[in-house]
Amino acid sequence: MIALPPELLQQLGGGLWQLFAVFLRVSALVSLLPAFGERSIPVRVKLGLSVVFTLIILPAIRPPDFAPGFLQIVRLVGTEVLVGMALGMGLRLFVLALQTAGSVAAQSTSLSQLLGGAAADPVPAMGYLLTLAGLALATLLGLHIQAARFLINSYMLFPMGTVPAAPDLSQWGVQQISHSFSLAFALAMPFVIASLIYNLALGVVNRAMPQLMVAFVGAPAITFAGLFLLFAGTPLILSVWADDLFAFINNPVGPAR
């Protein structure tokens, strides 16, 4: 049996620890990554994606000075999982923005009950269509490449084993959640404006002709208007959403976009 030199064993051990540390952050982020971390994706596929991203990112980062020990291992596991989940949650909020925009648009145009259970999450049909189209667009625009670069740059923001400051992390999280809901409302703004005009016109007609059943006349009109806005406005909505998503990937700690 061939005995390996102690120096080689030490280098192999350090490489394995670095691989393990990178895998912790990558797997936490991939579990929340849009398109790749969806609930409909099998766990084995997510695990394979995490391994592939780890092998891509490992040569691009600087190996840390790490002495294996129980407390060091516990600290490393907690820190890397926390950073990966925080960054992944920032990306996942963009999917939530599309779902919220679809829900607001569906409620505004009386289409909230149509195919409401088609997705893994209980969202209306508009939210499901916008989310599916947005994820497909992001994947076609190279989300996997951007995600790999995002993970590599994350080690510049949060070096391996460095615990993020709690006040900064909480402030950043609140800022991202606030931006997610403001983005959702901005994307759904055409449907809200159409609903406002429809209800104002319906009120005027009802005031002028109380005996007319305006709801039966107006319901098909608002349904058609909602479907037309969905058909005409989806390219612009997804374009704005994709630009915002990739702006976050390029600078996750920058000011609100």
Side-chain angles (χ1 to χ4, degrees):
M1 186 175 180
I2 301 176
L4 296 176
E7 294 80 5
L8 181 58
L9 290 174
Q10 184 178 2
Q11 291 181 359
L12 289 175
L16 289 176
W17 278 116
Q18 183 185 2
L19 178 66
F20 173 69
V22 173
F23 178 78
L24 288 173
R25 181 179 297 194
V26 169
S27 59
L29 188 142
V30 168
S31 65
L32 297 169
L33 187 65
F36 300 100
E38 301 302 319
R39 198 179 299 179
S40 58
I41 303 296
V43 178
R44 294 178 181 178
V45 176
K46 294 179 183 178
L47 179 61
L49 290 172
S50 300
V51 173
V52 171
F53 275 115
T54 301
L55 296 177
I56 293 173
I57 293 162
L58 183 62
I61 65 173
R62 181 180 179 183
D65 297 329
F66 181 72
F70 178 74
L71 294 179
Q72 290 81 359
I73 292 175
V74 172
R75 177 186 176 89
L76 180 68
V77 171
T79 301
E80 294 305 301
V81 171
L82 174 63
V83 173
M85 291 189 65
L87 295 176
M89 189 60 68
L91 292 171
R92 175 55 52 178
L93 287 173
F94 285 91
V95 180
L96 177 64
L98 276 181
Q99 294 177 350
T100 305
S103 299
V104 172
Q107 291 286 347
S108 302
T109 56
S110 302
L111 293 172
S112 59
Q113 301 302 321
L114 180 62
L115 299 177
D121 297 322
V123 295
M126 280 191 179
Y128 178 66
L129 291 175
L130 288 177
T131 302
L132 188 61
L135 295 179
L137 177 63
T139 305
L140 290 173
L141 292 177
L143 179 62
H144 55 294
I145 301 174
Q146 298 292 335
R149 188 176 67 177
F150 180 68
L151 281 164
I152 294 173
N153 292 335
S154 70
Y155 286 94
M156 301 178 185
L157 297 173
F158 306 102
M160 189 178 297
T162 303
V163 181
D168 296 337
L169 186 61
S170 61
Q171 183 179 2
W172 177 83
V174 171
Q175 179 182 354
Q176 298 307 316
I177 293 173
S178 174
H179 176 70
S180 175
F181 281 101
S182 63
L183 175 64
F185 187 76
L187 296 179
M189 183 62 68
F191 301 92
V192 176
I193 294 176
S195 176
L196 176 63
I197 296 174
Y198 162 76
N199 284 285
L200 287 176
L202 211 64
V204 172
V205 172
N206 189 31
R207 188 72 174 177
M209 294 182 293
Q211 68 278 10
L212 180 65
M213 301 294 291
V214 291
F216 291 100
V217 178
I222 189 61
T223 301
F224 174 78
L227 293 176
F228 176 78
L229 285 175
L230 181 64
F231 170 76
T234 296
L236 179 60
I237 290 174
L238 295 181
S239 176
V240 172
W241 177 82
D243 290 342
D244 214 59
L245 172 64
F246 289 115
F248 173 81
I249 291 177
N250 292 328
N251 187 12
V253 295
R257 294 151 297 282

